[in-house]
Amino acid sequence: FRFPSGDMRVLSFRKASGGVLHQITTETQIYVAKGSASVDVAGVRTEIAAGDVVNLPSGILRNGAAGAEDTVIIAHTVASAPAGAKASVVRGKDNPEAVIESGEKAGVGGARVTVQRYAFEGNSIRVARLSGNGQTSPAIPKVDALIYLLSGRMKLHLGNEVFEVAAGDALREPAGVSAHWEVTEPASFVATNGAGPASTGNRTQ
């Protein structure tokens, strides 16, 4: 998925086909949505599993120590890392979900919003889960957000436009445009900050 402020790729590997094998090229951060793998982090071969994030991965993504399994990786390429940023792993087990109870993007009208936030130098990855009836409070992002829907179905309100989105869709919340989600059914998404000019091209699938 290509946007003015960054790219996202969804890499799906099947155990029956040998599992994970992918050369890291332009990826600046990866999120393990399912399964497990190993990858170089600051020159050290590192095991990663579902719910983990790697900032500035390198080398080759391969099967983890446990062997091949069905694995899904969300790979981002965005120019947000500061000069000299260090490669790092942020473990899902170290980032419990937090309920957003007030302020921007909090659930209203019966909607419940939880977020896991993975912070690293220059950026972060957020995994949000929405359920119940209602919507989120409007927010005006200061930078582009690049989003991939992992599950479910929702409506995204961007300014005066409404987009119906479902699992497998990718979209961009452009900087400076009011945005909120309307919950159609329980859903989850992974988001990161893009970099670059705000322009057209909010959604692709």
Side-chain angles (χ1 to χ4, degrees):
F1 303 95
R2 297 187 181 277
F3 296 97
S5 52
D7 296 343
M8 286 185 290
R9 286 190 288 173
V10 181
L11 310 176
S12 298
F13 305 95
R14 296 188 176 217
K15 177 179 179 179
S17 301
V20 180
L21 184 62
H22 173 72
Q23 175 72 52
I24 298 293
T25 53
T26 63
E27 294 90 342
T28 54
Q29 58 210 42
I30 59 176
Y31 169 73
V32 186
K34 176 182 178 182
S36 63
S38 65
V39 70
D40 287 352
V41 181
V44 177
R45 201 75 188 157
T46 304
E47 299 291 318
I48 53 177
D52 289 345
V53 162
V54 180
N55 181 44
L56 301 178
S58 60
I60 299 175
L61 269 171
R62 298 185 186 275
N63 291 325
E69 63 177 314
D70 292 345
T71 299
V72 178
I73 304 285
I74 312 299
H76 303 89
T77 300
V78 294
S80 58
K86 296 178 181 178
S88 60
V89 179
V90 187
R91 302 290 183 186
K93 65 182 179 62
D94 298 327
N95 286 281
E97 290 183 339
V99 179
I100 301 180
E101 296 183 308
S102 62
E104 291 186 343
K105 300 194 176 182
V108 295
R112 183 175 189 270
V113 181
T114 66
V115 173
Q116 277 181 292
R117 182 179 176 83
Y118 302 76
F120 43 84
E121 286 189 275
N123 205 342
S124 69
I125 281 180
R126 288 86 64 194
V127 178
R129 294 175 176 84
L130 294 87
S131 60
N133 297 315
Q135 62 185 40
T136 63
S137 296
I140 300 178
K142 296 179 181 178
V143 296
D144 281 11
L146 306 182
I147 298 170
Y148 177 77
L149 261 76
L150 296 167
S151 65
R153 185 181 301 273
M154 293 190 291
K155 292 181 181 179
L156 174 63
H157 295 251
L158 284 177
N160 295 322
E161 298 183 279
V162 180
F163 299 92
E164 294 191 19
V165 294
D169 287 350
L171 55 118
R172 176 175 72 100
E173 284 185 350
V177 178
S178 178
H180 72 271
W181 295 91
E182 181 182 343
V183 182
T184 304
E185 63 183 49
S188 63
F189 63 78
V190 57
T192 193
N193 294 337
S199 59
T200 59
N202 295 332
R203 176 180 177 235
T204 184
Q205 63 180 4

